[in-house]
């Protein structure tokens, strides 16, 4: 056993050195984050004092996990050019989150004293029941997403470093759990900012290496000469367009409704900071996803035999001779490990803060912030352990699990968040009915005879919005002077200033 470990260290010394340096960075950020954390607001949302550049990079890095570098990059290997739809969807939905959600969410949550998405829903609609139900949905959906991330990083370490899959899961569990427990939101954002820059460089190196090994940018044309790969170059050839649209929408709608993404807006130092943060985030998404998504298609010329699991495309590329140098492969592996960490820590923090503040905290109120903070840290460890256990035998592939979590968030939280921020009407009943409707459609849609024509996320989101609108129209709105003031202020802010009439010209006599 010891001999095998020493041999592994000798063979992959560059990788182990980079991972060691990265672990030291995580430890430093955990230490500094712990020093700056004085209370629950600091641990949950960085005291609402984070700068726009750090938050813009964190917003990008939190989304761009191993799901992107391993799952999304490899999907074009089977789905072909139709999978390129993901790029405009990622850019458009992330922009929508910054422009259509961030400004009001930042203002409303500060005014209402909200620290989590479930407590915002509870405060906005005056409904403890809706708050608790939202918290349960957050925890339930988060398990799917975190399992996908664990699977991606487990596959990477197994293929590249010859570390058994289960051992890799255990290693990742301990590292992520420890630095998230200690540092909270502040350390997470600091680490995300570094990870975001690393991922931009990694995307360039990954695309450049794969394209060169495949034979150049125009090498995909060679796929047209093989009956097995020719459909990959046709729209809808590798996968039906309705299925691709559904998976893409489910994977990107989370920008506007998923708590781990929206928590970044809570933490911004001011509403004005959004103007700078949106540019940082958007440029990163455009560059990275334009480079990542074609990788699987080019990989067809490098690994023509076909792979049963597209989640293994990128790990196999890293170990295929002639594709990358040892140093570049080591850096790419580090970047993908960093990508996984940047998502796992954020989701763990959201799950733990939600459990403490919106479930346990409501049932068993604590007397002090210190006890609430200690409980939240305990929940980080518990949720990390549960997810690691699930990930030992994951139920589905990375893209499927990611899309499922996104579909749950879109179907359940779309109406409560988007209409709750932009339409004064609404109450707890409308919110709960929209939750139930969205979940019910997601569960039953694929059992209907015509379900193949449309991905379940579209009817689930649409009917959830309809249910919310109907109940909100037919029942009294939740009364709140603070909400009246907030909506009145937003209405004035959105109106153009009155046009000033030019002074009358002097009359001629």
């Amino acid at each position: 056993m010891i001999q095998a470990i020493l041999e592994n260290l000798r063979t992959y010394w560059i990788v182990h050195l980079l991972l060691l340096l990265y672990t030291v960075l995580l430890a430093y950020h955990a230490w500094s984050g712990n020093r700056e954390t004085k209370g629950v607001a600091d641990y949950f949302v960085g005291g609402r004092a984070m700068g726009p550049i750090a938050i813009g990079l964190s917003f990008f890095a939190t989304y761009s996990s191993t799901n992107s570098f391993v799952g999304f990059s490899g999907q074009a290997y089977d789905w072909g050019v139709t999978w390129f739809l993901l790029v405009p969807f990622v850019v458009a939905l992330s922009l929508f989150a910054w422009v259509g959600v961030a400004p009001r969410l930042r203002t409303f949550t500060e005014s209402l004293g909200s620290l989590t998405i479930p407590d915002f829903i509870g405060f906005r609609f005056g409904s403890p029941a809706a708050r608790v139900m939202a918290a349960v949905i957050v925890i339930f959906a988060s398990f799917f997403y975190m399992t996908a991330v664990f699977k991606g990083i487990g596959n990477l370490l197994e293929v590249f470093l010859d570390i058994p899959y289960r051992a890799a899961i255990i290693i990742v569990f301990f590292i992520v759990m420890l630095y998230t427990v200690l540092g909270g939101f502040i350390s997470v954002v600091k680490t995300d900012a570094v990870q975001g820059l690393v991922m931009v460089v990694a995307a360039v190196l990954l695309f450049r290496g794969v394209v060169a090994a495949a034979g150049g940018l125009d090498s995909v044309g060679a796929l047209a000469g093989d009956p097995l790969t020719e459909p990959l170059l046709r729209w809808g050839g590798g996968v039906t367009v309705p299925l691709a649209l559904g998976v893409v929408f489910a994977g990107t709608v989370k920008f506007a409704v998923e708590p781990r993404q929206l928590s970044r807006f809570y933490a911004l130092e001011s509403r004005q900071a959004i103007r700078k943060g949106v540019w940082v985030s958007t440029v990163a998404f455009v560059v990275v996803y334009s480079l990542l998504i074609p990788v699987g298609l080019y990989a067809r010329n490098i690994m023509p035999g076909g792979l049963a699991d597209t989640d293994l495309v990128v790990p196999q590329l890293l170990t295929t001779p002639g594709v990358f140098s040892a140093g570049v492969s080591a850096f790419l592996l580090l970047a993908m490990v960093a990508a996984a960490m940047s998502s796992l820590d954020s989701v763990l923090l959201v799950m733990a803060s939600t459990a403490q503040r919106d479930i346990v905290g409501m049932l068993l109120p604590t007397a002090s912030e210190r006890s609430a903070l200690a409980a939240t840290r305990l929940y980080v460890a518990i949720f990390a352990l549960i997810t690691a256990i699930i990930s030992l035998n994951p139920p589905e592939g990375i893209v499927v699990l990611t899309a499922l979590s996104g579909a749950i968030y879109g179907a359940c939280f779309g109406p409560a968040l988007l209409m709750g921020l932009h339409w004064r009407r609404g109450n707890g009943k409308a919110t709960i009915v929209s939750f139930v409707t969205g979940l019910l459609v997601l569960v039953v849609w694929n059992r209907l005879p015509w379900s193949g024509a449309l991905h379940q996320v579209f009817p689930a989101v649409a009917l959830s919005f309809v249910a919310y609108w109907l109940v909100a129209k037919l029942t009294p709105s939740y009364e709140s002077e603070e909400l009246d003031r907030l909506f009145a202020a937003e209405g004035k802010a959105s109106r153009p200033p009155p046009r000033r009439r030019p002074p009358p010209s002097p009359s001629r006599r």
Side-chain angles (χ1 to χ4, degrees):
M1 179 68 177
I2 296 176
Q3 185 65 32
I5 294 174
L6 292 174
E7 182 63 28
N8 188 286
L9 289 173
R10 279 195 297 267
T11 305
Y12 304 109
W13 68 270
I14 299 177
V15 179
H16 289 295
L17 177 61
L18 288 175
L19 290 176
L20 177 62
L21 293 174
Y22 179 69
T23 304
V24 171
L25 175 68
L26 293 181
Y28 171 74
H29 283 162
W31 172 77
S32 63
N34 188 53
R35 285 188 60 191
E36 295 176 44
T37 298
K38 308 301 182 185
V40 170
D42 292 331
Y43 194 80
F44 286 10
V45 292
R48 303 186 199 273
M50 309 297 287
I53 295 176
I55 290 297
L57 286 170
S58 181
F59 187 85
F60 157 73
T62 297
Y63 182 83
S64 305
S65 66
T66 47
N67 298 26
S68 303
F69 275 85
V70 177
F72 291 173
S73 291
Q75 196 64 40
Y77 189 87
D78 272 355
W79 286 12
V81 295
T82 311
W83 183 237
F84 290 13
L85 275 169
L86 185 68
V87 179
F89 269 77
V90 162
V91 176
L93 269 296
S94 64
L95 267 175
F96 173 75
W98 279 94
V99 176
V101 179
R104 292 196 179 204
L105 187 68
R106 175 64 180 78
T107 301
F108 280 40
T109 53
E110 183 177 30
S111 180
L112 297 174
S114 165
L115 295 177
T116 66
I117 290 300
D119 77 13
F120 167 71
I121 289 172
F123 298 158
R124 165 63 180 88
F125 300 106
S127 174
R131 178 179 176 180
V132 173
M133 189 172 179
V136 172
I137 292 169
V138 167
I139 294 172
F140 176 71
S142 295
F143 278 125
F144 290 109
Y145 183 81
M146 283 214 301
T147 300
V149 179
F150 265 109
K151 183 179 187 295
I153 196 169
N155 285 342
L156 272 173
L157 295 178
E158 181 180 36
V159 173
F160 193 90
L161 292 181
D162 294 328
I163 297 175
Y165 176 84
R166 295 192 171 194
I169 295 296
I170 294 170
I171 293 169
V172 173
F173 155 71
F174 275 109
I175 294 175
V176 175
M177 182 269 293
L178 285 173
Y179 92 83
T180 307
V181 163
L182 291 174
F185 192 90
I186 295 172
S187 72
V188 165
V189 169
K190 286 181 177 180
T191 304
D192 282 355
V194 176
Q195 289 163 338
L197 295 174
V198 169
M199 282 188 268
V200 172
V201 176
V204 174
L205 293 176
L206 180 65
F207 179 79
R208 181 180 175 183
V210 172
V211 169
L217 285 172
D218 58 353
S219 62
V220 291
L223 300 178
D226 186 339
L228 293 176
T229 56
E230 184 275 333
L232 299 177
L233 302 181
R234 286 189 283 108
W235 183 251
V239 62
T240 62
V241 174
L243 176 58
L245 281 171
V247 172
V248 165
F249 179 71
T252 54
V253 69
K254 60 179 63 180
F255 281 119
V257 294
E258 189 174 26
R260 70 187 174 103
Q261 297 293 146
L262 299 182
S263 65
R264 271 65 197 151
F265 301 146
Y266 279 64
L268 280 165
E269 61 189 5
S270 67
R271 183 164 173 163
Q272 290 69 34
I274 293 170
R275 298 173 185 173
K276 186 179 290 185
V278 64
W279 283 106
V280 174
S281 171
T282 302
V283 170
F285 277 120
V286 170
V287 171
V288 170
Y289 283 81
S290 297
L291 297 173
L292 288 185
I293 302 309
V295 163
L297 194 60
Y298 280 98
R300 275 284 181 176
N301 284 324
I302 303 170
M303 300 178 293
L307 290 173
D309 185 357
T310 57
D311 294 344
L312 296 176
V313 170
V314 172
Q316 292 285 3
L317 286 171
L318 292 181
T319 57
T320 299
V323 179
F324 303 106
S325 67
V328 171
S329 292
F331 181 82
L332 288 174
L333 179 68
L334 173 69
M336 293 176 200
V337 171
M341 302 294 187
S342 66
S343 293
L344 289 173
D345 55 18
S346 300
V347 181
L348 279 174
L349 200 55
V350 163
M351 294 173 78
S353 58
T354 296
Q356 166 55 33
R357 185 170 173 86
D358 304 308
I359 299 178
V360 179
M362 290 186 66
L363 299 175
L364 302 169
T366 55
S368 67
E369 282 206 357
R370 178 176 293 182
S371 58
L373 203 53
T376 305
R377 285 175 162 145
L378 174 63
Y379 299 138
V380 168
I382 291 173
F383 289 132
L385 178 60
I386 293 172
T387 309
I389 293 171
I390 296 172
S391 302
L392 295 177
N393 293 289
E396 284 288 354
I398 291 174
V399 172
V400 173
L401 290 170
T402 303
L404 179 57
S405 70
I408 293 172
Y409 282 124
C412 294
F413 289 171
L417 289 172
L418 301 181
M419 297 185 78
L421 288 170
H422 293 275
W423 190 36
R424 177 62 184 87
R425 293 192 66 89
N427 52 41
K429 290 180 181 177
T431 305
I432 292 173
V433 169
S434 70
F435 288 170
V436 174
T437 301
L439 287 173
L440 205 59
V441 175
L442 286 176
V443 170
V444 305
W445 183 259
N446 286 339
R447 293 171 172 80
L448 300 175
W450 58 83
S451 61
L454 191 65
H455 191 279
Q456 66 204 77
V457 67
F458 294 116
V461 171
L463 292 175
S464 178
F465 270 92
V466 170
Y468 177 94
W469 180 80
L470 282 175
V471 177
K473 289 287 286 184
L474 297 174
T475 56
S477 298
Y478 167 59
E479 297 295 331
S480 166
E481 291 184 3
E482 181 64 13
L483 286 173
D484 291 340
R485 184 191 68 78
L486 286 169
F487 275 95
E490 290 296 335
K492 290 178 182 177
S494 62
R495 282 200 216 70
R499 295 180 62 183
R500 302 176 71 180
R501 294 184 178 181
S505 57
S507 58
R508 295 180 181 178
R509 294 187 178 180

